Amino acid sequence: MLKFNFIISLISLWGIITNPVNAQVSFGDANVINRNWKFILEDVKDGQSISVIDEKWQTVDLPHDWSVKGQLSPTLAGCTGYLPGGIGWYRKTIIIPQEKQGEKVYLYFEGVYNRSEVFINGHSLGKRPNGYISFMYDATPYIAYGKDNVVAVRVDHSQSADSRWYTGSGIYRNVWLVYANPIHIAQWGIYAYPEQTEKGYKLNLEITLENGSPVNATLTVQNELIAPDGMIVAKNNKKLSVPTGLTRQLVTEMNVAKPSLWSLQNSHLYQLRTTILKDRKVIDQATTTTGFRTFTFDANKGFALNGEWMKVKGVCIHHDAGVLGAAVPREVWKRRLLTLKETGANAIRTSHNPQAPDLYELCDELGLLILNEMYDEWVFPKRKWIEGWNIGMPGFQGPYDIFKDWGEKDLADFVCRDRNHVSVFAWSIGNEVDYPNDPYSHPILGGEKAGFTQASYGGYNPDAPDAMQLGDIAKRLAKTVGEYDKSRPVTAGLAGVAMSNETEYPGALDIAGYNYTEDKYDSDHKKYPNRIIFGSENRHDMEAWKATRDREFIFGQFLWTGIDYLGESGRWPSRGFYSGLLDFGGFIKPRGFYRQALWSDQSMAYIGTYPVPGKGNGYIERAPSMDAWPIWNYEDGQLIRVVCYTNAAKAKLIMNDTVVGQIKEYDNNTGIIYWDIPYQAGKLEVVGIDQNNNEISRNHIQSSRQPYALQIIRADNKINNNRGIAQIVVQVVDEDGVPVMLSDNEITCHITGSGKLLGLEASNNSDMSDYTDNKHRAFHGRILAYIQSTGETGNITVRFTSPWLKPVEVSLQ
């Protein structure tokens, strides 16, 4: 039996005690510089030059995604949501105070999509083609102290169809200006991971220091570990000599007998305060958030967190948020992650690229595991569908051309940036890079019983890239991960398992992710008894869940997908992929409640409806739908299927206080209880009942009359004046306040005071209208408004109007 035991800590790096940017760079004094950039969507000749006149350029605040503000068009690529790419320039003038002379000056970018080049005062600091990776440049040699300094960034997303999903374009994450002593902690230079010992735990530390001064330095490195209650529970001081122009690493440890463990229910976090002293004077300091926990992977028993065996109930997510594109505020991610936890999800897969630092910090704080993924393709491109998902002739743009030069460097930076997050439990080096004939091929594809559940685009193609290359690349990438993190397994999402089993690819992985290949679980477990297997990408149906639930050796599954996302669209009109538990606005969809019934420990019941499917003409009875919306408005007497998603043992149906659906047992084959009844207006209720015939849950829907008014059903009345975000939900209701689910009224948002509208999101996948203005049609009677404070003091009044409906407004403070 092959058994893995991994113990890890988190570093969310909170700056010099009070400044959260140090979460990113782990040293110095960092300041966000997101405000008042100049932007133009064209390739300006010599756009980096100080002499360029940019007064007429658009003024924007970062994070900024220009694609999502573009015009949806059927002439563009469906793979990225029918939105444009292009080439753009950003410029910002900053003053570096004279008193900063003698300090180092860095520019840190959390993410720029893509193929960027950064300049300061006309001098190129470097290029970074990967659009998801975080990076930093030393701008010190070109700084004019006490004067204006021009930062310019060229972003080249002219290959607009370079991904299978929506990427966004531009500087879509935060940018930071970092000041530091020439002698400081190196970028991502704090690595902390705990280890369980016979006497409790020890926190292993690797602290890397960089000496950019002209003289050798003897330094004192002081580490203090602060418990959740604010008490210092461990401390040590060590000496380290760092020669001029070089880096040196200190390896030490701190013992804690009985730490409070990080778990999904109790996300206990510690603070590691690292102080660097020279001649007894503090020259650098960083506070990093860390936690204690263990995890175990076993080929027969699955996965354990802190010694507790459990199923990983995961979802895959992309990095956009509908109308907001790729520039997603932290508050929006927090609401989305909390809602996913409501569905019973306990893990996130960052499909298929590094995501914003906010996401990782929130998962640490909220108690969600992360499967952290880097690549969707390696040295050869995949199909990128232009006319719609799996429709027509594909394109082949993509980042494959940079992989040879950047693949291992990007992967190393990815690991170093995120390796201390307690929520990260595995590194994925690739997703479906072994998709059969997309691009790799192997003679096994010519067999009649190859065992593939996905399209293989024909049989064996000897002219395609040889799948035997996969093992060599995977071993190289796995080695890179191991150089920078000792504490987690390496994995990948295998799409062509039957093909990859003929190569060394699975053997390069510590744990093997199977995408949509549940039919290989038993045979591969028998054939490869030491292989640790899980579902890295799975369907939503009951059979896929039972394949995990009923096999101890399968430790979990990751649904495709957790949240609806832009891109990978069907034929126009289609904004994106619509299989999420949550919609574009972050609301739970019917299948999200279906999943809650399967995954959650809390008693629940949900009721949804749709007309009974017609019979005859070749109709074959199928399982009741997991996508039934809570609508109760039909023709009198029309036969309606009423479905109940519940984790109760039984359920019954009540119409206007009369039982119309007798008690039915839970159906373990479908996970759905249903009744077919004639429609009558009123209140329809479902009651969940336990084995002892006690009511444990209840849910209802109500017939509505004509739309009458707008009603605010959620508002963040307190909004941080420092660029905070309010998420306001408006519902169309009738005269009795009943939601009108069938309403699609056009709603206009008016703002007065110190706020601005970031976007209106109704979550309608087929609505291809203008998303850049202040009006939009409701979907299922609902719309979400994202309001951002402009930073000035004073109230913000938000008013919503719609023709023939009573308006509503809310005041934000």
Side-chain angles (χ1 to χ4, degrees):
M1 179 178 69
L2 179 64
K3 185 173 182 178
F4 289 88
N5 288 277
F6 293 95
I7 309 167
I8 192 59
S9 72
L10 144 78
I11 293 183
S12 68
L13 303 169
W14 280 96
I16 297 186
I17 301 180
T18 59
N19 202 330
V21 70
N22 246 0
Q24 294 309 298
V25 295
S26 73
F27 72 90
D29 177 17
N31 304 273
V32 68
I33 53 171
N34 285 348
R35 300 294 300 274
N36 298 320
W37 286 69
K38 293 293 185 177
F39 169 73
I40 189 169
L41 186 54
E42 64 178 71
D43 194 8
V44 177
K45 183 180 180 181
D46 297 325
Q48 76 279 10
S49 173
I50 297 176
S51 62
V52 167
I53 299 174
D54 57 18
E55 282 82 358
K56 294 185 179 180
W57 292 19
Q58 181 184 358
T59 300
V60 299
D61 293 334
L62 307 182
H64 176 251
D65 174 3
W66 81 63
S67 286
V68 81
K69 297 298 185 182
Q71 183 63 51
L72 290 152
S73 171
T75 64
L76 300 172
C79 57
T80 52
Y82 300 104
L83 285 162
I87 298 176
W89 278 91
Y90 294 84
R91 288 168 59 92
K92 182 176 178 63
T93 300
I94 56 177
I95 297 177
I96 307 298
Q98 185 68 47
E99 57 267 27
K100 292 296 183 180
Q101 191 157 9
E103 295 188 26
K104 302 281 280 185
V105 181
Y106 298 91
L107 290 170
Y108 181 81
F109 294 80
E110 293 182 8
V112 182
Y113 203 92
N114 64 346
R115 301 178 190 264
S116 65
E117 184 171 9
V118 177
F119 302 84
I120 184 80
N121 296 330
H123 300 278
S124 176
L125 298 179
K127 297 179 180 181
R128 200 61 182 250
N130 189 303
Y132 296 112
I133 207 72
S134 299
F135 57 91
M136 184 178 73
Y137 295 124
D138 183 357
T140 311
Y142 310 109
I143 293 297
Y145 293 91
K147 299 178 182 179
D148 288 349
N149 293 264
V150 177
V151 180
V153 184
R154 182 180 186 268
V155 185
D156 182 356
H157 193 200
S158 55
Q159 295 187 45
S160 59
D162 61 350
S163 174
R164 297 191 296 134
W165 60 89
Y166 178 82
T167 62
S169 301
I171 308 178
Y172 68 104
R173 296 181 188 159
N174 297 318
V175 179
W176 303 86
L177 178 67
V178 184
Y179 298 112
N181 189 291
I183 304 171
H184 57 76
I185 302 165
Q187 180 183 359
W188 303 318
I190 299 176
Y191 174 34
Y193 61 99
E195 181 180 348
Q196 194 170 19
T197 67
E198 292 182 359
K199 296 182 179 180
Y201 288 81
K202 65 177 180 179
L203 187 66
N204 298 294
L205 300 179
E206 296 178 9
I207 312 295
T208 303
L209 303 185
E210 179 178 304
N211 184 356
S213 77
V215 297
N216 299 335
T218 299
L219 308 171
T220 299
V221 182
Q222 176 180 284
N223 287 295
E224 300 166 288
L225 187 63
I226 305 169
D229 63 3
M231 300 294 293
I232 296 176
V233 294
K235 181 177 180 178
N236 69 26
N237 293 319
K238 300 290 182 180
K239 295 287 187 180
L240 184 66
S241 295
V242 186
T244 177
L246 298 178
T247 61
R248 288 291 184 266
Q249 186 179 85
L250 171 70
V251 178
T252 185
E253 61 187 46
M254 307 172 80
N255 294 301
V256 182
K258 295 181 179 180
S260 299
L261 299 183
W262 183 92
S263 70
L264 303 178
Q265 296 76 31
N266 298 291
S267 50
H268 297 297
L269 299 173
Y270 285 69
Q271 304 296 313
L272 173 66
R273 185 164 58 209
T274 302
T275 305
I276 312 302
L277 300 99
K278 183 177 184 294
D279 301 327
R280 298 186 179 182
K281 180 181 179 180
V282 175
I283 61 171
D284 199 9
Q285 189 177 72
T287 298
T288 56
T289 303
T290 187
F292 294 86
R293 59 104 163 100
T294 67
F295 51 84
T296 306
F297 295 89
D298 185 280
N300 294 307
K301 297 188 67 176
F303 171 78
L305 175 63
N306 300 327
E308 180 183 349
W309 298 99
M310 57 176 285
K311 293 294 184 184
V312 171
K313 302 169 182 176
V315 295
C316 306
I317 60 172
H318 280 311
H319 72 159
D320 70 278
V323 70
L324 298 176
V328 186
R330 183 186 183 96
E331 298 95 323
V332 175
W333 270 123
K334 183 173 183 178
R335 173 174 159 260
R336 288 174 155 223
L337 292 173
L338 286 170
T339 305
L340 284 172
K341 286 201 76 169
E342 284 182 39
T343 69
N346 60 24
I348 300 296
R349 178 184 179 217
T350 63
S351 47
H352 306 289
N353 49 263
Q355 301 211 14
D358 284 338
L359 180 82
Y360 300 87
E361 293 171 8
L362 286 167
C363 286
D364 297 333
E365 296 169 12
L366 301 177
L368 283 164
L369 293 165
I370 291 182
L371 173 61
N372 209 13
E373 190 159 75
M374 184 64 194
Y375 291 120
D376 189 54
E377 60 187 41
W378 293 342
V379 292
F380 294 100
K382 291 180 177 178
R383 288 169 167 82
K384 313 298 189 308
W385 297 101
I386 308 302
E387 299 175 46
W389 186 56
N390 287 345
I391 298 167
M393 295 297 294
F396 290 94
Q397 294 179 355
Y400 64 93
D401 62 315
I402 66 172
F403 188 83
K404 181 179 178 181
D405 294 331
W406 287 95
E408 288 163 69
K409 165 63 175 171
D410 286 339
L411 181 62
D413 285 355
F414 162 67
V415 173
C416 288
R417 190 196 73 166
D418 296 338
R419 61 186 172 180
N420 297 301
H421 284 289
V422 72
S423 52
V424 175
F425 78 96
W427 305 106
S428 174
I429 57 174
N431 169 68
E432 296 187 345
V433 293
D434 62 334
Y435 204 104
N437 284 319
D438 188 18
Y440 295 93
S441 198
H442 186 277
I444 195 174
L445 295 174
E448 294 182 1
K449 298 181 179 179
F452 293 99
T453 58
Q454 300 191 41
S456 57
Y457 306 112
Y460 172 52
N461 179 5
D463 296 325
D466 186 354
M468 298 304 287
Q469 301 176 42
L470 293 168
D472 292 336
I473 299 171
K475 284 188 283 186
R476 204 165 65 238
L477 296 178
K479 180 181 178 181
T480 298
V481 172
E483 289 176 2
Y484 298 97
D485 181 40
K486 307 172 178 65
S487 59
R488 296 176 182 84
V490 173
T491 188
L494 304 178
V497 178
M499 180 175 74
S500 289
N501 281 343
E502 303 298 314
T503 76
E504 294 182 308
Y505 185 13
L509 308 174
D510 298 313
I511 59 177
Y514 282 31
N515 284 16
Y516 310 103
T517 321
E518 294 88 352
D519 63 333
K520 299 287 289 183
Y521 286 171
D522 292 332
S523 59
D524 276 16
H525 179 58
K526 183 177 180 180
K527 188 174 182 179
Y528 310 101
N530 292 327
R531 182 179 294 179
I532 298 168
I533 302 173
F534 70 103
S536 43
E537 199 165 306
N538 303 88
R539 304 180 312 275
H540 290 249
D541 58 79
M542 185 66 163
E543 286 304 311
W545 169 234
K546 288 168 69 175
T548 296
R549 185 196 68 184
D550 299 342
R551 288 169 174 80
E552 187 178 21
F553 66 90
I554 301 296
F555 73 73
Q557 68 168 184
F558 286 85
L559 299 179
W560 193 265
T561 175
I563 310 174
D564 292 345
Y565 60 93
L566 299 176
E568 223 164 354
S569 305
R571 282 196 187 276
W572 179 280
S574 173
R575 297 169 66 199
F577 210 84
Y578 204 59
S579 66
L581 301 181
L582 314 185
D583 62 23
F584 291 115
F587 298 101
I588 301 179
K589 293 163 59 180
R591 63 175 49 202
F593 289 108
Y594 175 71
R595 187 56 42 176
Q596 186 180 46
L598 299 180
W599 279 358
S600 178
D601 295 328
Q602 302 297 315
S603 297
M604 62 81 63
Y606 168 88
I607 186 171
T609 70
Y610 54 94
V612 172
K615 298 185 178 181
N617 297 322
Y619 171 81
I620 299 175
E621 188 71 32
R622 58 184 176 85
S625 174
M626 69 177 77
D627 296 309
W629 290 90
I631 295 170
W632 195 235
N633 282 88
Y634 297 97
E635 296 290 333
D636 285 340
Q638 184 179 0
L639 196 60
I640 303 300
R641 177 156 295 172
V642 181
V643 300
C644 172
Y645 313 145
T646 184
N647 49 18
K650 316 170 194 176
K652 65 180 178 180
L653 194 63
I654 299 173
M655 180 71 229
N656 296 330
D657 299 323
T658 300
V659 174
V660 293
Q662 298 300 320
I663 293 177
K664 286 190 176 183
E665 301 280 340
Y666 180 83
D667 186 346
N668 191 50
N669 292 319
T670 65
I672 300 173
I673 301 171
Y674 74 94
W675 304 263
D676 292 343
I677 64 170
Y679 172 76
Q680 59 174 307
K683 181 180 180 181
L684 184 65
E685 296 180 276
V686 67
V687 180
I689 301 168
D690 66 15
Q691 291 286 10
N692 298 318
N693 294 319
N694 298 310
E695 177 182 332
I696 59 172
S697 53
R698 183 181 287 252
N699 187 241
H700 79 274
I701 52 180
Q702 178 80 41
S703 302
S704 67
R705 293 190 281 177
Q706 292 295 318
Y708 174 76
L710 300 177
Q711 184 179 94
I712 291 175
I713 59 175
R714 172 200 160 97
D716 303 310
N717 295 86
K718 294 292 184 180
I719 184 170
N720 182 348
N721 283 332
N722 185 22
R723 313 286 295 158
I725 303 294
Q727 300 171 72
I728 304 174
V729 182
V730 178
Q731 177 73 53
V732 178
V733 298
D734 67 12
E735 288 186 77
D736 300 318
V738 175
V740 184
M741 290 291 295
L742 300 179
S743 166
D744 67 347
N745 296 67
E746 184 177 82
I747 298 174
T748 301
C749 176
H750 314 264
I751 301 174
T752 56
S754 55
K756 67 177 182 179
L757 177 67
L758 293 184
L760 294 172
E761 180 60 75
S763 304
N764 186 350
N765 186 48
S766 62
D767 187 341
M768 310 300 278
S769 61
D770 187 0
Y771 281 80
T772 67
D773 57 13
N774 68 330
K775 59 182 62 177
H776 211 72
R777 287 196 174 276
F779 184 57
H780 291 133
R782 182 174 60 194
I783 200 164
L784 166 66
Y786 296 107
I787 311 297
Q788 184 178 52
S789 167
T790 59
E792 292 86 16
T793 58
N795 290 355
I796 304 169
T797 300
V798 186
R799 180 177 174 84
F800 298 92
T801 63
S802 182
W804 313 112
L805 304 184
K806 288 184 65 175
V808 66
E809 70 178 42
V810 62
S811 181
L812 310 177
Q813 299 178 347

